[in-house]
């Protein structure tokens, strides 16, 4: 995406370098070396090198000072070469005008009238006509506009590619969160169905058992055979009830999986869909926590990732999850652009309310540093928990 800008920068740099090297070669080509020749060599060398201290492709970008020094050093040599007809290194000011037009900013718009009026500084000295003077000024202006056009094309191309990259990034996020929403919807529906099966079928089996118990007590004819048959039915019903409970348990087992595994799965998908570098710090042991707490933690992580990519564009994220004796602690840090003014939008407000309903707290901090760090901290109390996997 940046290749076109780099190519244009180096192209303009090469044209300016050619301009000064050509002038230096003309000065050095004289048969007799004099003090004036030495002065011109030093003058041109300074005009070539000093402005590059403030603008060099890919390294220094102080365009204002570059243009000022280019006018003072290169422009003065141009005027000097025109005034002295015996000077062998005749100059024009077309390529420097091109360079300054390419680097033009709002702070350096004054350059445009300057390059036009440079010829007027020696008009009276050389007794040039107005047509000649305006012709030289118009040539300078033309090359200045060519540089501005080249800069406009390069920046338009850069902005177009930047927009394409942002659209691709948003598409990745949409794909990622569409998959997340689909998964969460399926999990919520599975939880609802498992509870419904447990309440409905379980109640039916219990009613059957109670009815069979009543039949056993009322049966008078062939009591031995009837009781034996009823006992077998009761045993079968109990087995069916146990089997149904096992099925329900298996259906809810994935949803009731550990928070650590769910966080790891979310991070893997996040890395895959966005390509963002993300490090994890997770506890070796886990606590058994309520479904609502687990869902809140996952939502905070998702919203924090989304905000980081959307607003901060970080190169690195770090997620830390740990359990203290009575609380769950979550921290998501990123090294993206710091937040100038904190505004609680819909996502942050929803995240904050979700945590507060569980008796927890959520804080967002962003500050300058090396590098600047933006952090979301979340703390949720664990009420009546036991070590994960223990009864």
């Amino acid at each position: 995406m940046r290749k076109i800008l780099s190519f244009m920068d180096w192209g303009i740099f090469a044209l300016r370098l050619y301009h000064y090297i050509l002038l230096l070669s003309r000065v050095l080509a004289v048969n007799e070396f004099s003090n004036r020749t030495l002065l011109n060599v030093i003058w041109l060398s300074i005009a070539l090198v000093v402005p590059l201290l403030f603008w060099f492709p890919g390294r220094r970008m102080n365009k204002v000072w570059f243009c000022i020094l280019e006018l003072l050093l290169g422009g003065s040599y141009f005027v000097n070469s025109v005034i002295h007809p015996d000077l062998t290194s005749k100059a024009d000011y077309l390529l420097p005008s091109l360079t300054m037009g390419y680097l033009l900013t709002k702070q350096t718009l004054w350059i445009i009238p300057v390059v036009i009026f440079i010829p007027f500084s020696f008009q009276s000295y050389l007794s040039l006509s107005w047509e000649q003077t305006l012709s030289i000024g118009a040539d300078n202006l033309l090359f200045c506009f060519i540089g501005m056009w080249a800069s406009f094309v390069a920046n338009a191309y850069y902005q177009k590619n930047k927009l394409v990259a942002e659209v691709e990034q948003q598409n990745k996020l949409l794909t990622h969160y569409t998959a997340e929403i689909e998964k969460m919807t399926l999990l919520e529906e599975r939880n609802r169905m498992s509870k419904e099966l447990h309440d409905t079928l379980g109640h039916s089996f219990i009613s059957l058992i109670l009815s069979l118990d009543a039949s056993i007590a009322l049966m008078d004819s062939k009591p031995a055979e009837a009781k034996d048959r009823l006992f077998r039915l009761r045993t079968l019903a109990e087995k069916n009830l146990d089997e149904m409970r096992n099925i329900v348990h298996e259906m809810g087992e994935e949803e009731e999986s550990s928070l650590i595994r769910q966080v790891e799965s979310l991070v893997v998908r996040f890395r895959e869909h966005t390509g963002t570098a993300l490090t994890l710090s997770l506890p070796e042991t886990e606590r058994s926590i309520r479904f609502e707490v687990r869902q809140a933690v996952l939502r905070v992580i998702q919203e924090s990732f989304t905000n980081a990519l959307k607003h901060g564009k970080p190169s690195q994220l770090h997620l830390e999850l740990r359990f203290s004796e009575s609380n769950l602690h979550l921290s998501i840090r990123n090294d993206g652009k710091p937040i100038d003014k904190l505004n609680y939008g819909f996502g942050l407000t929803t995240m904050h309310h979700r945590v507060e309903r569980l008796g927890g707290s959520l804080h967002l901090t962003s500050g300058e540093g090396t590098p600047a760090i933006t952090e979301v901290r979340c703390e949720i109390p664990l009420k009546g928990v036991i070590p994960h996997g223990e009864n």
Side-chain angles (χ1 to χ4, degrees):
M1 183 169 61
R2 295 180 179 272
K3 288 183 179 179
I4 185 66
L5 278 179
S6 178
F7 175 79
M8 296 296 292
D9 284 353
W10 282 104
I12 297 296
F13 175 83
L15 289 174
R16 180 180 181 273
L17 184 64
Y18 165 78
H19 170 78
Y20 283 102
I21 290 178
L22 181 62
L23 293 179
L24 280 168
S25 66
R26 290 176 180 174
V27 171
L28 295 174
V30 297
N31 295 327
E32 297 182 1
F33 194 82
S34 62
N35 290 334
R36 173 176 286 187
T37 302
L38 178 61
L39 175 63
N40 288 330
V41 169
I42 295 174
W43 196 341
L44 284 171
S45 299
I46 293 175
L48 169 64
V49 174
V50 172
L52 295 181
L53 297 176
F54 297 92
W55 177 77
F56 193 88
R59 294 182 182 274
R60 293 176 288 274
M61 295 300 292
N62 193 328
K63 299 177 181 179
V64 176
W65 273 105
F66 173 88
C67 292
I68 291 174
L69 292 172
E70 178 64 58
L71 282 172
L72 291 176
L73 299 174
S76 61
Y77 185 85
F78 167 61
V79 174
N80 178 67
S81 68
V82 175
I83 292 176
H84 293 84
D86 58 330
L87 194 63
T88 58
S89 56
K90 292 299 181 183
D92 56 46
Y93 210 58
L94 301 180
L95 292 180
S97 297
L98 175 72
T99 304
M100 290 187 290
Y102 179 76
L103 299 176
L104 201 67
T105 65
K106 291 181 179 180
Q107 291 77 25
T108 56
L109 288 175
W110 49 269
I111 287 175
I112 296 176
V114 171
V115 297
I116 297 174
F117 288 106
I118 282 179
F120 291 90
S121 63
F122 51 77
Q123 180 191 19
S124 59
Y125 185 85
L126 297 179
S127 301
L128 295 176
S129 65
W130 282 98
E131 289 79 5
Q132 291 175 312
T133 306
L134 289 174
S135 176
I136 298 173
D139 290 341
N140 291 344
L141 180 63
L142 174 62
F143 272 74
C144 183
F145 276 124
I146 291 174
M148 292 168 61
W149 174 81
S151 176
F152 174 79
V153 171
N155 280 287
Y157 184 86
Y158 171 76
Q159 292 298 328
K160 184 202 75 169
N161 283 276
K162 182 179 179 182
L163 181 61
V164 170
E166 289 180 355
V167 170
E168 290 177 354
Q169 180 71 14
Q170 292 300 320
N171 285 338
K172 287 182 180 180
L173 283 174
L174 285 174
T175 301
H176 170 66
Y177 284 106
T178 298
E180 287 297 317
I181 291 172
E182 182 179 357
K183 181 180 179 182
M184 297 309 300
T185 302
L186 289 174
L187 287 177
E188 290 173 2
E189 181 65 15
R190 183 173 293 179
N191 181 62
R192 187 192 66 80
M193 290 180 64
S194 64
K195 291 179 179 179
E196 180 112 358
L197 285 171
H198 185 275
D199 294 340
T200 304
L201 294 181
H203 177 74
S204 298
F205 275 103
I206 291 173
S207 298
L208 175 61
I209 293 171
L210 292 176
S211 298
L212 291 173
D213 285 341
S215 298
I216 292 172
L218 296 174
M219 194 69 68
D220 293 327
S221 62
K222 297 182 180 180
E225 181 180 350
K227 285 185 179 181
D228 180 69
R229 188 183 298 272
L230 289 172
F231 279 128
R232 289 198 301 271
L233 288 172
R234 187 180 189 281
T235 301
L236 179 61
E238 287 181 328
K239 289 182 179 179
N240 289 339
L241 179 61
D242 291 337
E243 184 178 356
M244 183 275 298
R245 284 175 173 165
N246 289 334
I247 293 173
V248 171
H249 177 71
E250 290 174 1
M251 288 177 63
E253 187 174 15
E254 181 178 349
E255 182 183 338
E256 297 298 326
S257 62
S258 73
L259 175 62
I260 290 178
R261 286 198 296 271
Q262 288 183 294
V263 171
E264 289 175 338
S265 176
L266 190 152
V267 167
V268 167
R269 291 192 297 274
F270 180 82
R271 287 171 176 158
E272 178 182 352
H273 287 290
T274 66
T276 305
L278 197 157
T279 57
L280 282 175
S281 177
L282 300 175
E284 295 181 358
T285 59
E286 185 180 349
R287 302 291 186 89
S288 177
I289 59 178
R290 292 172 293 156
F291 176 79
E292 294 81 6
V293 174
R294 186 167 61 254
Q295 292 297 95
V297 171
L298 294 174
R299 292 292 189 271
V300 169
I301 294 174
Q302 290 172 335
E303 184 67 23
S304 299
F305 286 175
T306 301
N307 288 340
L309 285 184
K310 184 177 180 181
H311 302 294
K313 295 181 173 55
S315 60
Q316 179 76 40
L317 284 91
H318 178 73
L319 186 151
E320 180 181 5
L321 179 70
R322 62 185 177 87
F323 294 92
S324 65
E325 183 176 353
S326 58
N327 294 300
L328 179 150
H329 301 270
L330 174 68
S331 172
I332 301 105
R333 297 190 296 272
N334 73 80
D335 61 355
K337 180 181 178 182
I339 301 173
D340 295 329
K341 183 178 180 181
L342 179 59
N343 292 317
Y344 272 77
F346 177 80
L348 281 174
T349 301
T350 301
M351 192 165 58
H352 191 268
H353 290 167
R354 184 188 293 271
V355 173
E356 279 191 336
R357 281 198 299 268
L358 297 172
S361 60
L362 185 140
H363 303 282
L364 174 61
T365 58
S366 182
E368 298 290 340
T370 309
I373 297 297
T374 299
E375 181 180 18
V376 176
R377 296 191 311 276
C378 175
E379 182 175 328
I380 301 176
L382 303 174
K383 300 177 181 178
V385 298
I386 57 175
H388 181 69
E390 294 184 13
N391 297 320

